[in-house]
């Protein structure tokens, strides 16, 4: 499995975790919005790896946007779920 695919699985799983209604909000608020910054960095790294390996970048771009607008409570939850599914579907198709 190539590195871009591994990063898509990893970031997709983290996005789905943050999209779980009470759990994701507790994680984000409990750590002072730090997880959003960490996810932003992970999505940028994934985007760069995907560009280098010439694989799909849609999920990473969605992830970057999600990390930025996720400070809006319910919008963030929905965006985390959408982004997580996009990343996991992209990773599954890349096999």
């Amino acid at each position: 499995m190539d590195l871009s695919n591994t990063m898509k699985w990893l970031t997709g799983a983290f996005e789905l975790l943050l999209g779980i209604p009470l759990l994701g909000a507790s994680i984000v608020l409990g750590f002072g919005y730090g997880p959003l910054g960490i996810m932003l960095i992970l999505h940028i790294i994934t985007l760069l790896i995907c560009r280098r390996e010439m694989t799909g970048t849609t999920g990473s771009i969605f992830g970057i946007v999600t990390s930025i607008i996720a400070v809006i409570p319910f919008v963030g939850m929905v965006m985390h779920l959408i982004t997580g599914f996009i990343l996991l579907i992209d990773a599954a198709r890349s096999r």
Side-chain angles (χ1 to χ4, degrees):
M1 184 181 307
D2 53 349
L3 184 58
S4 64
N5 206 23
T6 302
M7 289 298 291
K8 288 176 190 178
W9 282 109
L10 183 70
T11 55
F14 286 156
E15 285 292 343
L16 288 179
L17 177 69
L18 292 177
I20 298 172
L22 294 175
L23 179 63
S26 298
I27 292 170
V28 170
L29 294 174
F31 287 101
Y33 293 95
L36 298 180
I38 292 169
M39 288 305 297
L40 177 64
I41 293 167
L42 285 175
H43 287 301
I44 292 171
I45 291 169
T46 305
L47 178 67
L48 294 174
I49 292 169
C50 288
R51 288 245 171 112
R52 186 186 72 197
E53 295 182 3
M54 292 186 231
T55 60
T57 58
T58 305
S60 298
I61 293 169
F62 265 91
I64 292 168
V65 171
T66 297
S67 297
I68 294 169
I69 67 169
V71 295
I72 304 169
F74 294 105
V75 174
M77 179 188 72
V78 172
M79 286 299 293
H80 281 303
L81 292 172
I82 292 170
T83 301
F85 285 121
I86 289 172
L87 282 162
L88 294 181
I89 290 168
D90 192 19
R93 288 187 347 181
S94 297
R95 298 178 109 188

